[in-house]
Amino acid sequence: MDRKLKYERIVQAKRYIPFYLLTFLLLLTSCGEFFEFYGDATPAGTMTLDRHEVNIMVGDSLLITPLFDPDTLSNSSVYWMTDQEGIIEMVKDSIVALQPGSVLLTAMSVSAQLLDSCRVTVMPQWKVDPMDFLFDMVIYADVTVHGQKPDKSMVIGAFCGDELRGVAEPKQAFGIDYMELRIWSQYRERDSINFRCYYHDTAVTEVFPDSLLFDGEKHGTPSQLFKLTLE
C-alpha cells in the first residue's frame, strides 16, 4: 500500500491523539514508516497557539487557534494530543472542559513538522455549599462590568484568597434589577473578600478592584444598592 495513502487512512481514523502517542508518532516520522513530510527537514516558519494558558470552567468550550508564520504555512493537518485523558476533549479545534484538573495540550502540524503547547486548567463550576460554613453576609449590588450589566455569559463570584465563598444571583424588586451576593465564612469577622468575573465565552477571569471585610452584616438594599464596578 502506498505510504501516503496508509498515512491518510490512519489520521482520518482518529484526529484527536492521546499525548503518550506523540513520541511513538515522532519515531515513526523519523524512520519513515507511516509519515511522509514535504519540503526541507527544517521547518521554514512557525506555528503558535493563540493561547498558552487556559483556565476554563467545567462544561464550557473554547476555540483555540494555531497561527502560522508565514501565512502560506497554514494547513488543515493539525492534530491534538494531551498528556492525560478525561479532563478535556477536543471537538475539532475547540477545548471542551469535562472535569477539574490540569493537562498539557499539544498541537502538531504534520506537513510542516511544527509543535506548540498550551497548559489547560479546568476548574469546577462556581458553587458554594452553605453547610460548610457558620456565618453569612449578603450584598445587594449594582454590578457593572466594563459599562454593562452582567448577563448569562458571565458569573460573579466572591472569594477569600482563592476559595470561593459566594456566587451572585440576578434578582428584581420593585422593578429594579440587581445582583444578590450571599457570602459565607467560618468566622464572624476576619476574612477579606475579593470579587471576580468569569466569562464563559472566552474562559477569562477578571478581578474587581474593590475588596470588602466579612462582617456578617447586610450591605445595600434593593432601593440603595452597593456599587460593584469592574472597569
Side-chain angles (χ1 to χ4, degrees):
M1 180 184 294
D2 179 80
R3 285 186 298 175
K4 183 177 179 182
L5 178 59
K6 190 174 183 180
Y7 156 73
E8 290 175 348
R9 289 185 178 179
I10 289 171
V11 297
Q12 287 172 2
K14 192 170 185 182
R15 190 167 185 265
Y16 174 50
I17 308 171
F19 187 84
Y20 64 81
L21 289 178
L22 175 59
T23 303
F24 175 68
L25 293 175
L26 295 178
L27 287 173
L28 292 179
T29 298
S30 64
C31 69
E33 182 64 25
F34 294 115
F35 290 85
E36 185 173 322
F37 290 115
Y38 305 97
D40 297 333
T42 302
T46 61
M47 179 188 71
T48 305
L49 298 178
D50 64 344
R51 297 272 290 267
H52 287 104
E53 184 174 350
V54 172
N55 293 282
I56 189 170
M57 192 174 289
V58 168
D60 287 349
S61 61
L62 178 71
L63 178 68
I64 185 164
T65 305
L67 305 174
F68 293 87
D69 185 20
D71 293 341
T72 53
L73 281 178
S74 182
N75 65 86
S76 59
S77 300
V78 174
Y79 302 92
W80 299 96
M81 296 149 283
T82 60
D83 60 350
Q84 55 183 308
E85 298 181 351
I87 294 175
I88 67 170
E89 66 176 351
M90 295 299 294
V91 178
K92 295 185 178 179
D93 291 334
S94 290
I95 299 168
V96 179
L98 301 179
Q99 64 178 355
S102 180
V103 299
L104 183 67
L105 175 66
T106 298
M108 179 172 66
S109 173
V110 174
S111 62
Q113 307 179 51
L114 302 172
L115 292 170
D116 197 19
S117 298
C118 172
R119 172 61 61 179
V120 181
T121 300
V122 179
M123 58 181 162
Q125 294 182 351
W126 285 2
K127 295 180 180 179
V128 177
D129 185 355
M131 299 300 293
D132 293 338
F133 302 97
L134 296 176
F135 305 100
D136 72 319
M137 70 183 233
V138 63
I139 300 175
Y140 299 101
D142 177 15
V143 182
T144 304
V145 178
H146 301 299
Q148 300 180 359
K149 298 303 180 184
D151 56 30
K152 292 182 179 180
S153 69
M154 309 173 193
V155 57
I156 311 296
F159 289 78
C160 178
D162 288 326
E163 181 183 9
L164 180 67
R165 294 294 186 84
V167 179
E169 296 183 3
K171 300 286 185 177
Q172 187 181 73
F174 310 109
I176 300 172
D177 294 319
Y178 63 95
M179 303 293 285
E180 180 181 299
L181 252 169
R182 191 165 295 275
I183 304 170
W184 302 88
S185 176
Q186 292 283 20
Y187 308 97
R188 189 180 299 276
E189 292 183 356
R190 174 170 168 174
D191 296 334
S192 178
I193 304 298
N194 65 83
F195 305 94
R196 305 180 191 181
C197 178
Y198 170 83
Y199 304 87
H200 291 288
D201 296 341
T202 59
V204 170
T205 301
E206 292 187 301
V207 180
F208 285 78
D210 298 323
S211 60
L212 190 65
L213 183 66
F214 185 94
D215 58 9
E217 302 294 333
K218 181 176 69 175
H219 294 262
T221 66
S223 60
Q224 190 172 357
L225 296 169
F226 181 90
K227 296 288 186 180
L228 193 58
T229 303
L230 178 60
E231 298 291 350

